[in-house]
């Protein structure tokens, strides 16, 4: 499966953005998909994950209550709605799919989110 992330950009603190992750292949709807981010000079970190049905979600504490992950399997797309953005949310955001349970085998190219103070 191939993933294409988009939707990043420059936004002021307190603003919102919605990222999209479009997957290729007829089986994309069967994958658990996660969002990760990597800020300059920092390790990549987990942000959120959604099960293949969309019925299960989990968030990092740092984004809980501000970010919402969702999916539309008819469109082969997973979304990350980000609200109340903070400068510390600035990072390259990646989507990834689990080819095996717990293992993110497929990665998109990343989309840059910059939050200005």
């Amino acid at each position: 499966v191939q993933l294409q992330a988009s939707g990043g950009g420059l936004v002021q603190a307190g603003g919102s953005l919605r990222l999209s992750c479009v997957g290729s292949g007829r089986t994309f709807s069967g994958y658990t998909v996660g969002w990760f981010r990597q800020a300059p000079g920092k390790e990549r970190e987990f942000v959120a994950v959604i099960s293949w049905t969309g019925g299960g979600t989990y968030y990092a504490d740092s984004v809980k209550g501000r970010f919402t992950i969702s999916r539309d399997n008819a469109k082969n797309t997973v979304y990350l709605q980000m609200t109340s953005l903070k400068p510390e949310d600035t990072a390259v955001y990646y989507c990834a799919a689990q080819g095996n349970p717990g293992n993110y085998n497929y990665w998109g190219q990343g989309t840059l989110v910059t939050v200005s103070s």
Side-chain angles (χ1 to χ4, degrees), residues 38-116:
Q38 187 166 20
K42 295 188 176 181
E43 297 284 322
R44 184 173 61 198
E45 64 175 357
F46 166 80
V47 175
V49 62
I50 188 165
S51 65
W52 70 275
T53 64
T57 59
Y58 185 78
Y59 298 90
D61 287 344
S62 58
V63 306
K64 201 172 295 183
R66 299 188 298 122
F67 291 11
T68 302
I69 189 170
S70 62
R71 69 190 301 160
D72 183 341
N73 284 338
K75 296 182 178 180
N76 277 359
T77 303
V78 172
Y79 303 99
L80 185 69
Q81 179 68 49
M82 306 185 294
T83 63
S84 301
L85 283 162
K86 306 175 181 179
E88 51 264 44
D89 293 318
T90 294
V92 177
Y93 284 71
Y94 300 89
C95 60
Q98 290 187 9
N100 307 105
N103 294 308
Y104 289 94
N105 308 93
Y106 308 102
W107 290 83
Q109 85 292 356
T111 185
L112 176 62
V113 173
T114 304
V115 184
S116 63

